[in-house]
Amino acid sequence: PRTQVSQSSGSGVLISADGVLVTCAHVAQDAAKIKARLMDGREYEAEILRLDRQQDLAVLKLKNIKTPNLPYLPFGDSDNIE
């Protein structure tokens, strides 16, 4: 019997220097293996920390980060927008 292998891709945003990122749940939900490639070409395996199918949100954590000082986008507080 043949084994079917499929790949998909999506985008995400790093939200912490130690490799936590957010993406869409439909990108990660059925994946047997998740890889994340940064803009500079570095590639990491990732694991799902949280998944919310209703909101289509997934929180992932990059594995095996040698130096946890990745560039990230911090969340802001919308109550403080002027």
Side-chain angles (χ1 to χ4, degrees), residues 2-67:
R2 291 183 176 179
T3 302
Q4 185 176 356
V5 177
S6 65
Q7 293 182 343
S8 64
S9 62
S11 61
V13 177
L14 282 164
I15 60 169
S16 73
D18 63 346
V20 176
L21 64 95
V22 292
T23 188
C24 296
H26 72 268
V27 171
Q29 66 188 1
D30 296 323
K33 189 176 191 178
I34 301 171
K35 286 187 179 179
R37 183 177 305 124
L38 305 184
M39 294 295 292
D40 63 8
R42 289 181 286 176
E43 194 170 281
Y44 300 94
E45 285 193 27
E47 63 183 334
I48 297 172
L49 297 179
R50 298 283 187 268
L51 191 73
D52 185 332
R53 287 182 175 88
Q54 284 188 313
Q55 300 299 319
D56 195 26
L57 182 69
V59 179
L60 310 178
K61 175 77 165 93
L62 302 181
K63 296 180 180 181
N64 301 319
I65 298 173
K66 293 183 171 77
T67 309

Side-chain angles (χ1 to χ4, degrees), residues 62-80:
L62 302 181
K63 296 180 180 181
N64 301 319
I65 298 173
K66 293 183 171 77
T67 309
N69 62 349
L70 298 171
Y72 68 96
L73 180 66
F75 278 110
D77 183 348
S78 62
D79 291 338
N80 293 328

